[in-house]
Amino acid sequence: MHAGLRAEGGTVAVAESLTGGLLAAALVDVPGASATFRGSVTAYATELKASVLGVDEGLLAVHGPVHPVVARQMAEGVRKLLGATYGLATTGVAGPEPQDGQPVGTVHLAVAGPGGSLVSSPRLSGERATIRHRAVTAALELLVGRLPSGTSTH
């Protein structure tokens, strides 16, 4: 993935809620990540999604933080905030209890880039840690799928 970003001169920034920093950690775990990784915002509290990332407050008030449009706005917001080619975002419910009327395993991921934004809403199962790790994997796959080279090489 970093190779694909380097090949196009691209960068990535992440906005995390559900994954609480795991996505950023996975990105920086690869040697040379500093060439493509701009940074991250872990906006776990709902109000930070609005005040830091620019998610529409009305959307949050009506639908809560676990919504596909929230994920898209988080990705777009972090892309702009950190000046990255791509913004990648995660929001959802890892459990152990449902949140805001959403069942455990509800996940919304988004990538925003030069070609627009794309949201994926996989239904994940398992324990809390499993859901969070699967969300990271799915988010990275979402980004790789948007890269012009389509490469999964780190």
Side-chain angles (χ1 to χ4, degrees), residues 3 48 83-84 93 100 103-104 117 128 135 144-145 147:
L48 293 178
V93 182
D100 298 320
V104 172
S117 301
R128 179 179 173 78
V144 167
L147 298 177

Side-chain angles (χ1 to χ4, degrees), residues 1-12 35-38 84-86 147:
M1 189 236 11
H2 286 291
L5 284 167
R6 277 192 301 276
E8 73 166 86
T11 57
V12 63
T36 58
F37 182 65
R38 295 281 300 159
T85 311
Y86 296 93
L147 298 177

Side-chain angles (χ1 to χ4, degrees), residues 36 38 46 52 65 82 85 115 135 146 149:
T36 58
R38 295 281 300 159
T46 299
V52 176
L82 300 184
T85 311
R146 290 300 298 269
S149 62

Side-chain angles (χ1 to χ4, degrees), residues 115-135:
S117 301
L118 177 66
V119 177
S120 174
S121 298
R123 185 84 174 118
L124 303 179
S125 61
E127 299 294 320
R128 179 179 173 78
T130 301
I131 290 170
R132 292 175 69 227
H133 284 280
R134 287 179 179 165

Side-chain angles (χ1 to χ4, degrees), residues 69-95:
V69 178
V70 170
R72 180 178 55 79
Q73 289 184 4
M74 288 173 65
E76 292 168 349
V78 80
R79 178 182 182 225
K80 181 179 177 183
L81 180 68
L82 300 184
T85 311
Y86 296 93
L88 193 57
T90 67
T91 189
V93 182

